[in-house]
Structure formats: structure tokens, C-alpha cells
Amino acid sequence: MILNMQKLTLIGFLADKESILRDLMRKKCVQIEGAESIRDYDSISSITVPGVCQTYELEQELTKFNAAIRAVSPYEQKGGLFAKKERAEFSSMFDQSLFAESCQLRDEINEVSRQINEIYKIIKERSILKNVQAKAECSLEPWAGLDLDLGVTGTRSTALMYLTAGADVDLNELQKQLEEATSLCMVHTVSSSSELNCLLLICHRSAQPQVLDVLKGFNTNRPDFGQLNGTPAETISLLKGRIESSTKEIERLTEQLKVAA
């Protein structure tokens, strides 16, 4: 059966506000709304204190608490099906020292959570997040035997091109056509597998147009190494080191969340 709800308007002295609200909350007999929700609020607005600023501040506090709860909830120790849940005394809701302690713990949790997110952000910006790094490392691995700084793209008179070619590309035919096009070019096979060939092409800059014309007839690509510097082996080692140190720091901070939970 659905009971009809009744509405009541309570007006009293501001000095009694806290004690009245506390009693009403303890009795759990009414749903408390602000004065501004009253239909004819305009008629009594001059003698009421809506407390909009206080409400906003409390909402900000609540947002921080919710963020902290979300941060530690994955690490909360779950009790059994019939485990007793802790019950707090109603009076503890108004214990200012307990509230201050809760706020301190909340802020510590949110700070740890912020640091973790910041590390993930840095990792992502450097493209060394695990799944991204896996691709980067995978693309660098075939080049590991190349003892050449990836930041070097040539000299004043020579151009260096890093190329990948599918297994279906006839490297002998590619070499033959390049030799026919110009004598100012050489191709070095860095690595070769059943799926991919990694090539380093060096040519005189004057012969670069002829070289590019030949490459158009073959299924080759130029890998983007971005702003990477150092040899491929050095870069792979650096990426692994960064991820390892970042992962350890995240693990250390996560342990703090577990304790806080």
C-alpha cells in the first residue's frame, strides 16, 4: 500500500537549526529539503537563510570523499556473506575531531591517487605505457643489431633511409633496380625474417629522386622512430628501464592505498 505523503514547513530560530536538524535526522521521519524548495518561498525569502554557500562547500567535501572511496574500494577487505558490518553511533556523525581525521585520510588517499594518475599520464605521453611500449619495442627489436644512432638521418651530402619491406619483396630485384638507377646508393639488410625485412638505405642526396622512384615500385615503408635517439638496443633498454621504475613506483603507491582501505 502506498501512503500519501504530507508536507510540512518548519520555521524556527537560526540558533536552534543544528539541534533541530539533528533530532529530525535521528528520528528518520522526514525528508529534509532547503527553504528554497518551498512553493511560496518568495513570501518568506526575507526571513530565511538558504545556505547556498555552505551547501556548495559540503558538496565539494562530499566529492572529495567519493573520490577517495573509489580509489580504495578495489582494495577493501571483503567479509564473508554473514560478516558483521561495523555500525557507527549516530553521535559520531557530529564528532568534529573524527571528521578532521577523516578529511586528513581522504586527502592523503586522493594525493596518492593523483600521483598514480600522473605517472600513468607521463608514461602515456612518452609512449611507454605497457601496451604502447610493447609495440615500440616490437618495432625496434628487428633493428637491435644496427649500431647507428636513430637520430641520424644523414649528412650534408648523404641521406639515410630506414625501410621495412614485406617478405614478398624481392630484395635482389630491389638491389638490381637501384644499381641501374644510380651508382650512388647502397642497401644494407639489418635483419630478415619470414614476415619482415629491415633495410638501411644510404645514398648521395643528388641521387635521392632516382632512389625514391625505384622504391615506389616496391612494397616498402619508412618506420617512424619519432624523436628517439641512441642505437635501437640502447633505446629498447631505456624503454624497459623507464617502465620498470614507473611500475615499481605505482606498486609502492598502490600499497599505500591498500593500507588506507
Side-chain angles (χ1 to χ4, degrees):
M1 183 176 67
I2 300 177
L3 299 176
N4 291 326
M5 301 298 291
Q6 294 180 320
K7 292 187 177 181
L8 63 89
T9 301
L10 178 63
I11 300 176
F13 288 110
L14 191 59
D16 299 327
K17 178 180 177 181
E18 291 300 324
S19 61
I20 292 173
L21 288 176
R22 190 176 304 183
D23 288 339
L24 290 175
M25 290 170 65
R26 185 182 286 111
K27 289 180 171 61
K28 301 178 182 178
C29 60
V30 293
Q31 177 180 331
I32 302 172
E33 297 178 354
E36 57 270 30
S37 66
I38 300 174
R39 183 177 299 175
D40 57 345
Y41 173 64
D42 291 339
S43 64
I44 61 169
S45 60
S46 61
I47 61 171
T48 61
V49 183
V52 174
C53 292
Q54 183 189 25
T55 301
Y56 175 76
E57 291 172 359
L58 290 174
E59 285 176 345
Q60 297 305 302
E61 293 292 306
L62 182 60
T63 299
K64 294 176 184 177
F65 274 113
N66 285 334
I69 291 171
R70 284 196 300 271
V72 299
S73 58
Y75 313 109
E76 180 186 0
Q77 291 185 354
K78 307 294 183 182
L81 181 62
F82 301 103
K84 273 191 172 183
K85 292 189 177 181
E86 290 187 33
R87 296 181 64 87
E89 292 295 328
F90 186 85
S91 59
S92 66
M93 293 174 58
F94 303 96
D95 186 334
Q96 291 302 310
S97 62
L98 181 61
F99 180 70
E101 185 180 346
S102 300
C103 287
Q104 182 180 349
L105 179 59
R106 173 203 68 189
D107 293 343
E108 290 173 358
I109 291 171
N110 286 338
E111 174 59 22
V112 171
S113 182
R114 184 197 66 78
Q115 291 180 36
I116 291 175
N117 291 332
E118 191 65 27
I119 294 173
Y120 275 123
K121 181 181 176 183
I122 293 173
I123 291 174
K124 189 172 183 180
E125 287 176 350
R126 292 177 179 174
S127 297
I128 57 173
L129 193 61
K130 281 191 174 180
N131 60 339
V132 178
Q133 181 269 346
K135 297 178 183 177
E137 184 183 330
C138 182
S139 64
L140 285 174
E141 199 67 50
W143 300 90
L146 181 64
D147 189 19
L148 181 68
D149 192 317
L150 292 172
V152 177
T153 57
T155 65
R156 188 190 313 177
S157 56
T158 61
L160 273 68
M161 300 183 199
Y162 301 98
L163 301 172
T164 58
D168 58 331
V169 174
D170 188 336
L171 297 183
N172 292 327
E173 181 62 24
L174 173 61
Q175 180 73 47
K176 177 183 175 183
Q177 292 192 27
L178 285 172
E179 290 174 353
E180 292 175 353
T182 176
S183 60
L184 304 176
C185 174
M186 67 161 284
V187 179
H188 169 63
T189 302
V190 178
S191 66
S192 185
S193 69
S194 59
E195 298 179 353
L196 191 70
N197 296 297
C198 293
L199 313 171
L200 174 64
L201 189 151
I202 307 173
C203 69
H204 195 274
R205 291 195 180 277
S206 63
Q208 198 167 358
Q210 296 96 302
V211 169
L212 293 175
D213 281 341
V214 172
L215 292 177
K216 288 178 183 177
F218 293 85
N219 180 25
T220 61
N221 293 290
R222 301 181 68 173
D224 180 14
F225 294 129
Q227 303 299 316
L228 296 179
N229 291 302
T231 67
E234 291 171 344
T235 304
I236 291 172
S237 178
L238 178 63
L239 289 174
K240 287 181 176 179
R242 284 178 177 174
I243 285 186
E244 186 176 345
S245 61
S246 297
T247 301
K248 285 182 178 178
E249 179 62 10
I250 290 175
E251 289 175 352
R252 185 186 71 81
L253 293 170
T254 300
E255 285 300 318
Q256 294 185 22
L257 291 183
K258 290 179 179 179
V259 172

